[in-house]
Amino acid sequence: MSVLAVGLSHRSSPVTLLERVSLNGETRRKAVGEMVVSDAVNEAMVVSTCNRTEIYADVEGYHGGVAAITELLSWHTGVSLGELSEHVYVHYDDRAVQHLFSVTCGLDSMVVGEGQILGQVRDALKDGQETGTVGRVLNDLGQRALRVGKRAHTETHLDHAGADMVAFGLSVATRDLAVTPSPDTPVAAVTPPAGCPMSGQAPSEPGEETPRTLSAVLPSGPLTGTGVLVLGAGSMSALSANTVARQGARTVTVANRTHERAARLAECLNEAYDTVDARTVPFTDAIDALADVDLVISCTGAQGYVLTADEVAAATEGRTRPLVFLDLALPRDIDPAVREQDGIRVVDIEDLRQAASADEADEDSGRSSALELVRGIVDEEVDQFRAVRRADQVAPTVVALRSQAREVVEAELSRLNGRLPDDLDDRTREEIGRAMRRVADKLLHRPTVRVKELAASPDGESYETALRRLFDLDTQTTEKPRTPRRTAASGRPDTARTAQEKA
């Protein structure tokens, strides 16, 4: 069994293709559920963000795993295998582990060093655990990846080396406004209350005092005086609202399909900032709010356009000042045709990808130093994970060896008991048995410890193989064949055994 990574990202695919292969909600659960029902795939989880869709899996073999994953990805997204093959990348074993660690650190992000990806990998792992598609292998890998990501941000200056996705998006999107925000602009220290969408913390228990810094006064900032409309109230939208508030926005209007979440986000903003007037509008009335804003930030997770070109054209008729849309969603929330209208600028993931590529060419020495440190952490953690995995893989051979030794001892004791004097008391017989078992355990102790240590070396598999062949050990277990149920309509597997059940 080995780790396999199959994916597409902003580095390998155009946004139009990333939109089509994005796996969200029920589609993701169905696709991953069918992957683990395959004989080639034992466990699977999906990391899906605004600029990547990646499937990580524990597979029986390289070719079977790639075939099973790409076929099901094609089936559920409608993208042909031929088109997928032109843009998909595949990593196997150590390369797959290294890729996930690098992704979790933000090294492979559009905005290198951004921290949102750490939470997105955590969400992917949690989703796999809840649906049963993540077992021991991917759970260990995912937990290790989160540890690597935390190390990267706490042991280096990675957080100072790169902006987050929202701040970078704002720096690109608002160049046509009267003011231009900068990711490096100092901001007031604001700690929203626990339970606020901006805090990333659970609500406080009744009566529990939560330290917080409220009523931050920002007399000026890079977005001073602007009106902002935020579509959505998820984590990315909450980050967006907090960022524009810190940078001096005059008003922040939040529209979300679930009004309670929008109201909670607006409440948090009003509590945290004296200079911001935060309010809500029904999601269906969001188009009417365009008349009063200068900037629209959207990240809803919807499967279709939230604002169409015709709706925007009607709502902005007669407008004289610029209007900027920052579309951080994948699939996109804003109809691309909106960008053809006079006085309106639309910045989406593809625009940010191009801007990020230009920034990479201007990488400064401080940023390069931080990135090198993070790459060193990744390499170190890959080596450690490999050692742990190889030690785990040799465990069945060690168990088989000890089991074989026990069988030999018990057989010899049974033979010996027939030859011992009949008047020998039970206590003496038990002591003879304990002595023989201790001899066997002591003889095996050093070899089994040593083979676990050697398994972590680059050619560690050869030691485990030699031990298995020398003692003619059988480490295979018998498993009943699985026949997944199929639906009459689609012919696809109807239900999948969980990764835990397969283990």
Side-chain angles (χ1 to χ4, degrees):
M1 295 179 286
S2 302
V3 178
L4 177 71
V6 178
L8 302 94
S9 75
H10 64 283
R11 297 185 185 277
S12 69
S13 311
V15 170
T16 51
L17 180 58
L18 289 177
E19 285 182 306
R20 294 163 60 198
V21 300
S22 63
L23 293 173
N24 298 306
E26 190 59 29
T27 301
R28 178 178 65 249
R29 291 184 175 88
K30 287 182 179 179
V32 177
E34 292 185 15
M35 288 175 191
V36 298
V37 88
S38 162
D39 289 330
V41 180
N42 300 310
E43 307 173 24
M45 74 172 185
V46 175
V47 176
S48 182
T49 74
C50 60
N51 52 45
R52 75 180 61 249
T53 294
E54 295 181 338
I55 299 97
Y56 294 89
D58 173 41
V59 298
E60 292 293 335
Y62 176 83
H63 295 290
V66 172
I69 290 172
T70 54
E71 286 173 7
L72 283 166
L73 184 61
S74 173
W75 174 270
H76 284 279
T77 63
V79 179
S80 70
L81 285 172
E83 188 173 4
L84 277 178
S85 65
E86 295 178 5
H87 300 279
V88 75
Y89 47 80
V90 178
H91 301 294
Y92 192 58
D93 272 345
D94 286 354
R95 292 290 300 276
V97 174
Q98 183 179 48
H99 181 71
L100 177 59
F101 289 0
S102 297
V103 166
T104 309
C105 290
L107 292 179
D108 197 58
S109 296
M110 184 180 296
V111 182
V112 176
E114 56 93 7
Q116 287 78 44
I117 186 64
L118 187 61
Q120 291 162 336
V121 171
R122 183 184 295 109
D123 290 343
L125 179 61
K126 181 180 178 182
D127 186 68
Q129 292 168 336
E130 291 176 348
T131 57
T133 63
V134 165
R136 180 182 176 184
V137 174
L138 289 188
N139 183 68
D140 290 349
L141 177 63
Q143 295 293 350
R144 175 76 67 153
L146 296 177
R147 166 182 155 173
V148 178
K150 291 175 183 176
R151 283 192 62 192
H153 288 278
T154 58
E155 297 180 18
T156 74
H157 295 291
L158 184 63
D159 287 329
H160 303 292
D164 60 56
M165 189 71 174
V166 173
F168 178 71
L170 285 172
S171 69
V172 175
T174 56
R175 290 168 183 168
D176 289 343
L177 294 179
V179 291
T180 302
S182 169
D184 301 320
T185 300
V187 294
V190 178
T191 305
C196 170
M198 299 186 301
S199 71
Q201 305 175 42
S204 303
E205 296 294 330
E208 177 183 346
E209 293 186 1
T210 303
R212 58 185 182 176
T213 304
L214 299 177
S215 301
V217 179
L218 300 178
S220 63
L223 282 178
T224 299
T226 59
V228 181
L229 171 63
V230 177
L231 299 178
S235 58
M236 187 68 80
S237 298
L239 176 61
S240 300
N242 192 34
T243 301
V244 298
R246 288 186 304 170
Q247 296 189 352
R250 172 178 49 84
T251 63
V252 177
T253 304
V254 184
N256 189 58
R257 287 187 174 85
T258 304
H259 183 262
E260 290 76 12
R261 296 187 65 180
R264 181 62 180 140
L265 177 54
E267 179 186 355
C268 288
L269 289 171
N270 285 325
E271 288 183 357
Y273 300 97
D274 280 347
T275 57
V276 175
D277 176 16
R279 62 190 74 165
T280 66
V281 295
F283 196 77
T284 53
D285 296 339
I287 190 68
D288 298 328
L290 296 185
D292 301 319
V293 301
D294 307 286
L295 171 66
V296 180
I297 304 176
S298 188
C299 188
T300 68
Q303 292 302 304
Y305 295 138
V306 172
L307 297 178
T308 66
D310 290 342
E311 290 174 329
V312 173
T316 58
E317 185 176 1
R319 184 186 180 100
T320 57
R321 70 183 192 279
L323 177 61
V324 178
F325 290 87
L326 174 57
D327 189 352
L328 298 174
L330 193 73
R332 286 173 286 189
D333 284 340
I334 310 302
D335 186 344
V338 170
R339 69 174 67 233
E340 299 176 8
Q341 299 178 23
D342 293 336
I344 294 179
R345 186 180 186 209
V346 178
V347 176
D348 58 23
I349 297 298
E350 177 62 24
D351 298 305
L352 297 183
R353 183 187 66 79
Q354 295 176 9
S357 297
D359 281 0
E360 286 182 2
D362 299 327
E363 189 174 280
D364 59 60
S365 59
R367 176 186 172 110
S368 298
S369 176
L371 296 181
E372 283 304 313
L373 289 174
V374 174
R375 293 186 184 106
I377 291 175
V378 168
D379 291 342
E380 174 189 331
E381 292 283 356
V382 169
D383 290 341
Q384 292 182 10
F385 185 78
R386 181 197 305 116
V388 172
R389 283 283 291 150
R390 286 181 174 173
D392 287 344
Q393 289 169 350
V394 81
T397 299
V398 172
V399 170
L401 178 61
R402 289 190 174 276
S403 177
Q404 185 185 82
R406 282 195 302 269
E407 291 174 2
V408 171
V409 169
E410 295 305 323
E412 287 302 310
L413 282 173
S414 177
R415 185 181 65 81
L416 181 60
N417 281 333
R419 298 183 178 184
L420 292 174
D422 293 338
D423 60 350
L424 195 64
D425 61 273
D426 291 342
R427 181 177 179 181
T428 302
R429 290 176 183 270
E430 290 174 1
E431 183 59 35
I432 292 172
R434 283 194 294 270
M436 292 185 65
R437 294 185 187 99
R438 281 197 299 270
V439 170
D441 287 343
K442 288 182 178 181
L443 284 173
L444 291 178
H445 175 71
R446 186 55 186 166
T448 54
V449 169
R450 187 61 178 149
V451 77
K452 288 181 180 180
E453 294 172 347
L454 293 171
S457 62
D459 57 347
E461 293 180 0
S462 62
Y463 295 100
E464 186 267 343
T465 301
L467 185 64
R468 185 158 29 87
R469 290 180 178 177
L470 281 172
F471 289 90
D472 193 22
L473 302 174
D474 182 10
T475 60
Q476 300 299 317
T477 57
T478 304
E479 183 181 0
K480 293 182 180 180
R482 295 176 287 108
T483 304
R485 291 177 295 177
R486 298 181 178 275
T487 61
S490 67
R492 307 305 304 174
D494 184 28
T495 58
R497 288 173 46 188
T498 65
Q500 291 91 334
E501 288 172 336
K502 293 178 80 172

